[in-house]
Amino acid sequence: RGIGAASAIRLAREGANVVILDVLAKEGTETIELIRKEGGEAEFVKGDVRNTADVQKAVDLAVAKFGEINGALNAAGVMSATAPDAPFDYQKQKSLFPSPIAEASDEYFDTLMDINATGVFKSMRAELRPMLKQGKGGSIVNICSIAGLTGLAGNSAYVASKHACSGLTRNGAIDYAPYGIRINSVNMAATETAMTAMATEFVKAANKENAGSDVVNMGRIKTLSLLAFADSNKRQATVWEQAAVICFLLSDEASNLTGGLYATDGGWAAY
């Protein structure tokens, strides 16, 4: 769903054959059906990026079905340790939501590192092996967020995991440039997705609970990108705006770009 779905749909419209791996079977299947309805080729694999076998299954299917793998988008990511389709319940899920270091639970920190960092590693590893065997180069794009470029108040595990994502992007670019494989990341600020909607609900609930506290809320220092601040409706980015950059980086038109952490953030990291 979200940026991953928009990118898959746009890629299919541009002529790509698509394989989607996701834990959300309903949303994944719906995206596949839409692509096929528009005349595209697409397959869905239900799986979890934390599971090496699941990731390998998706890559193996891509090679078996379409002959080779030329590009990959690693879009799985979470801000909380709640299930991606779980109803919001602040009091019951509090230990799973974004937290500063001293208040962070093991489950919150470990889950985000497992999905956002280790999941990207496992995905890249599985994607790179057939690309190397094919000997034709390739392109990988990771979604690393502004949290992979700067700090983000109250989001200790998210920032740590997304900085790891940025590190994997840069190191992968160094190691695989000799093979013609380009690796970049997109690092967006608030974008209209289910994850951002959840974050908004969490912030409202946390602010309500902490009302009257004399401790400065550092998260209020900066909440908007340059473009959101300048917009009368304070709009977020759309998934299609993010997909446009992702598809460009995956394409041959970006043949001179690798190792880049692209701030697709409306100017958030610039000020």
Side-chain angles (χ1 to χ4, degrees):
R1 63 184 182 186
I3 297 169
S7 299
I9 293 166
R10 168 99 187 238
L11 285 163
R13 288 172 179 170
E14 296 284 347
N17 299 317
V18 177
V19 174
I20 296 175
L21 168 71
D22 205 291
V23 295
L24 298 173
K26 177 178 178 293
E27 289 84 348
T29 301
E30 288 174 349
T31 301
I32 294 297
E33 290 174 351
L34 190 153
I35 290 172
R36 289 175 175 171
K37 186 177 180 181
E38 293 186 353
E41 291 279 348
E43 300 288 340
F44 176 70
V45 175
K46 186 180 187 303
D48 191 321
V49 294
R50 291 173 290 187
N51 188 313
T52 299
D54 287 352
V55 175
Q56 192 62 51
K57 182 180 179 181
V59 170
D60 289 345
L61 176 61
V63 174
K65 177 76 175 180
F66 302 119
E68 57 189 24
I69 180 168
N70 312 112
L73 168 64
N74 297 315
V78 296
M79 285 189 77
S80 72
T82 56
D85 54 354
F88 178 82
D89 189 325
Y90 178 73
Q91 292 303 325
K92 289 184 179 180
Q93 301 165 335
K94 188 176 178 181
S95 66
L96 306 179
F97 283 130
S99 304
I101 295 169
E103 300 167 21
S105 69
D106 285 352
E107 187 174 2
Y108 160 66
F109 194 88
D110 292 346
T111 300
L112 267 66
M113 293 301 294
D114 284 348
I115 296 172
N116 298 349
T118 306
V120 171
F121 158 71
K122 290 185 176 183
S123 298
M124 290 177 67
R125 180 175 62 185
E127 295 150 4
L128 283 162
R129 286 172 175 170
M131 288 184 182
L132 290 168
K133 185 176 180 180
Q134 290 159 195
K136 299 179 181 179
S139 178
I140 295 174
V141 175
N142 298 322
I143 292 183
C144 295
S145 167
I146 52 170
L149 299 174
T150 70
L152 193 61
N155 282 266
S156 57
Y158 191 60
V159 170
S161 63
K162 289 299 187 177
H163 271 66
C165 179
S166 294
L168 286 165
T169 300
R170 282 174 162 154
N171 240 69
I174 293 168
D175 289 337
Y176 297 102
Y179 303 94
I181 300 172
R182 301 180 297 102
I183 303 176
N184 295 285
S185 75
V186 284
N187 300 64
M188 64 281 298
T191 302
E192 294 174 350
T193 64
M195 188 174 76
T196 305
M198 179 281 295
T200 300
E201 291 300 311
F202 162 74
V203 170
K204 289 179 181 177
N207 285 343
K208 182 177 180 180
E209 182 177 79
N210 296 319
S213 172
D214 58 359
V215 178
V216 176
N217 184 343
M218 300 304 290
R220 291 176 181 165
I221 291 176
K222 182 176 181 178
T223 60
L224 298 172
S225 70
L226 295 179
L227 292 182
F229 180 81
D231 185 270
S232 59
N233 295 315
K234 309 303 181 204
R235 83 165 182 92
Q236 299 179 20
T238 69
V239 294
W240 301 106
E241 288 171 325
Q242 301 299 340
V245 180
I246 289 166
C247 292
F248 167 68
L249 290 171
L250 286 171
S251 78
D252 291 340
E253 292 184 354
S255 57
N256 190 48
L257 302 178
T258 196
L261 310 181
Y262 292 96
T264 58
D265 64 354
W268 198 94
Y271 181 66

